[in-house]
Amino acid sequence: MRPAAPETKARPLKRPSQARAKFTVQAIFDAFVRIWQRDGWQRITTRAVALETGIAVGTLYDYFPNKTALHSGYMRYCIESLIEKVDTQVTQAQGLDWEARLHGLLQILCGVERTGLPWFHPDMLDLEPSIAELKHQQRAHQELSQMWQRVFQACTDLPRIPSPATIEALHIAVWGGRRYALLLQMDDDYMRQWAEQMEQLCRAAIQADNNISTSN
């Protein structure tokens, strides 16, 4: 049975800015994921997370007043971590042609290339409506779409950057597919095969947008 969605919406109280605070919040997220993986959503409490982290409950409350706020903060962390990984490993990487950048992007977005946090789980989709407001969903969509734009701006070997409509369609297809595969709890082999197919589809769309011969 899937976990019941929390009844009360809450938001994180503040974002860490100094190195020590960032380290503390990272440790909180680590503990949050460990408890969720081990005991399930219903067993998560702010006190349990504080004990697992090794910090005072009051310190955790400085950032997250309840576990709903903690989950909201963690979801934001997942999006930011994914964008940072793409920017670092794909957009800013030197000496890659456009097909290599596309491959790296799809490996990350399709969930093939992943280590440690962030941890995506089907339960997140059940909890999401009670945590993420529409404006938050729209902001995440915009940030992810801009991430795709940056990747293609780095593809200097393409005759031209794909049109905004093409980039938007590819982003929605990949992100929507990832969420649906998560809902169906597809295994790693399935995800790798799906990622390969999505890469072929994306490559064909980019080639068509640029009038590049597919025979090369």
Side-chain angles (χ1 to χ4, degrees), residues 2 121-123 179-188 191:
R2 293 289 179 84
H121 189 275
D123 291 347
R179 290 168 62 87
Y180 191 60
L182 184 67
L183 179 66
L184 297 177
Q185 302 185 45
M186 297 301 188
D187 60 27
D188 289 346
M191 297 301 290

Side-chain angles (χ1 to χ4, degrees), residues 86-146:
V86 170
D87 283 341
T88 301
Q89 298 183 13
V90 180
T91 305
Q92 299 168 12
Q94 300 297 314
L96 300 181
D97 61 22
W98 73 268
E99 290 181 301
R101 292 189 196 278
L102 178 66
H103 175 76
L105 174 66
L106 270 293
Q107 290 291 293
I108 294 172
L109 292 184
C110 294
V112 177
E113 195 279 307
R114 61 180 188 272
T115 55
L117 294 182
W119 180 68
F120 290 94
H121 189 275
D123 291 347
M124 288 183 174
L125 299 182
D126 286 342
L127 297 167
E128 192 174 84
S130 64
I131 293 173
E133 299 176 17
L134 177 60
K135 63 181 181 181
H136 299 145
Q137 299 277 15
Q138 291 172 334
R139 182 179 68 176
H141 167 74
Q142 182 180 32
E143 291 174 348
L144 290 165
S145 183
Q146 291 171 346

